[in-house]
Amino acid sequence: MTTPPALLIAGHGTRDDAGAEAFRDFVRRLGARHPDLPVAGGFIELSPPPLGEAVTELVEQGVRRFAAVPLMLVSAGHAKGDIPAALAREKERHPGISYTYGRPLGPHPALLNVLERRLDEALGSAGRTPGDRADVTVLLVGRGSTDPDANAEVHKAARLLWEGRGYAGVETAFVSLAAPDVPSGLDRCVRLGARRIVVLPYFLFTGILPDRVRHQTEGWAAAHPEVEVLSADVIGPEPELLDLVWERYEEAVKGDLRMNCDSCVYRIALPGFEDKVGMPQQPHFHPDDDDHHHGHGHGHHRGAHSHAH
């Protein structure tokens, strides 16, 4: 029987000791869940242990093959460049090792459910019932990046969070490197008619940036007493996050790196769209096609998701 590859978890890194310890604790929890599999984790920057030290830890345990999973919500510079470069360097340092690289977590339905729970908790703390959402506007605040693709992924998460959950709206802001910032995002919510806003940090663990989101929110709220503003918590080391990292590991091991199937309404029961799961797909024809059978659009879901039906 072939020994399965070890699991290497790659993190951003933070100057916040509590945030770094939350990551290290998460790695320990995942290892305890899978005691027969070597599990290690390291950071790209700012926090110990560095990713290279985590690779060395695995190699010293006799590991020669591993799957690396970026513990990141969006595919920005770290996931696209820094981690692959670090892994290539480690391959040179440790001749004979091989690895596969998994994809970032993304707006997976399981994490959207955790975000929804965090919103319910924030509303509950203000005496609201979970179903009382029709006048609630959510401001989802991402890390922010110079990579527009990474920022677009936060917008995708916001849209998926809004769809089918009954909120008045879900707007997007960023705490660094990208516009709009948190105060501007709150201003936008008010211009759209919001009178009750929940600011939701799109972060896995506590840290300097989530703290900055809360502080900026509190500062804006103090200057706008006519608007009810609540702050929700980060995602945290929930069972759903543990499950998702393991899912990403298995994808990497099997080479099953899907594109957008996580949030496909024909595969996953998303709120308000449950009836679409497993629905047979038919070719569609663009009005300008004149019934010509071009291959650039017909049967897209049928081809991409036929394995789900």
Side-chain angles (χ1 to χ4, degrees), residues 109 113 165 262 264-277:
N113 290 340
R165 286 182 169 83
D262 281 342
C264 171
V265 293
Y266 302 102
R267 173 185 289 275
I268 302 295
L270 296 179
F273 299 89
E274 293 87 352
D275 60 322
K276 290 185 178 291
V277 175

Side-chain angles (χ1 to χ4, degrees), residues 10-236:
H12 274 286
T14 174
R15 292 184 177 88
D16 181 78
D17 291 339
E21 181 54 30
F23 171 90
R24 292 188 289 262
D25 182 63
F26 182 84
V27 173
R28 288 191 290 267
R29 290 193 196 193
L30 201 56
R33 267 195 174 198
H34 304 281
D36 297 331
L37 186 78
V39 176
F43 296 101
I44 286 297
E45 61 182 0
L46 302 176
S47 313
L51 195 63
E53 187 176 308
V55 173
T56 299
E57 176 187 333
L58 292 174
V59 170
E60 289 177 349
Q61 295 179 52
V63 169
R64 290 296 175 265
R65 297 187 306 136
F66 64 86
V69 175
L71 195 66
M72 299 169 187
L73 288 166
V74 302
S75 185
H78 279 325
K80 290 179 178 179
D82 296 334
I83 296 173
L87 294 175
R89 183 184 64 227
E90 293 309 311
K91 197 169 188 299
E92 291 183 359
R93 287 179 177 171
H94 303 281
I97 69 170
S98 62
Y99 63 87
T100 54
Y101 184 39
R103 58 180 173 142
L105 306 176
H108 191 282
L111 294 189
L112 294 173
N113 290 340
V114 178
L115 292 172
E116 183 178 11
R117 195 155 69 236
R118 294 291 177 256
L119 290 169
D120 284 344
E121 290 165 357
L123 291 169
S125 69
R128 305 292 295 274
T129 62
D132 192 9
R133 301 173 172 178
D135 64 346
V136 173
T137 298
V138 177
L139 183 63
L140 183 70
V141 182
R143 176 180 296 268
S145 172
T146 56
D147 182 344
D149 179 48
N151 296 331
E153 287 188 35
V154 181
H155 279 265
K156 179 178 180 178
R159 181 71 195 192
L160 288 169
L161 185 63
W162 180 77
E163 292 274 3
R165 286 182 169 83
Y167 301 109
V170 180
E171 296 298 315
T172 308
F174 300 95
V175 74
S176 65
L177 299 176
D181 59 16
V182 174
S184 298
L186 287 163
D187 289 342
R188 173 177 168 80
C189 290
V190 171
R191 286 198 299 271
L192 291 171
R195 287 295 174 266
R196 180 170 285 108
I197 305 170
V198 182
V199 177
L200 177 62
Y202 193 44
F203 289 83
L204 293 175
F205 305 125
T206 57
I208 289 175
L209 293 181
D211 286 348
R212 187 181 300 168
V213 173
R214 185 175 289 267
H215 293 152
Q216 291 180 354
T217 298
E218 291 172 350
W220 187 93
H224 298 80
E226 73 283 3
V227 183
E228 181 182 358
V229 183
L230 303 171
S231 289
D233 286 333
V234 296
I235 290 170

Side-chain angles (χ1 to χ4, degrees), residues 225-259:
E226 73 283 3
V227 183
E228 181 182 358
V229 183
L230 303 171
S231 289
D233 286 333
V234 296
I235 290 170
E238 295 293 286
E240 291 94 337
L241 182 57
L242 289 158
D243 291 341
L244 178 54
V245 171
W246 186 252
E247 184 177 322
R248 292 288 182 259
Y249 163 80
E250 291 188 316
E251 287 175 355
V253 169
K254 296 173 184 175
D256 182 22
L257 301 181
R258 302 184 185 116
M259 293 298 288

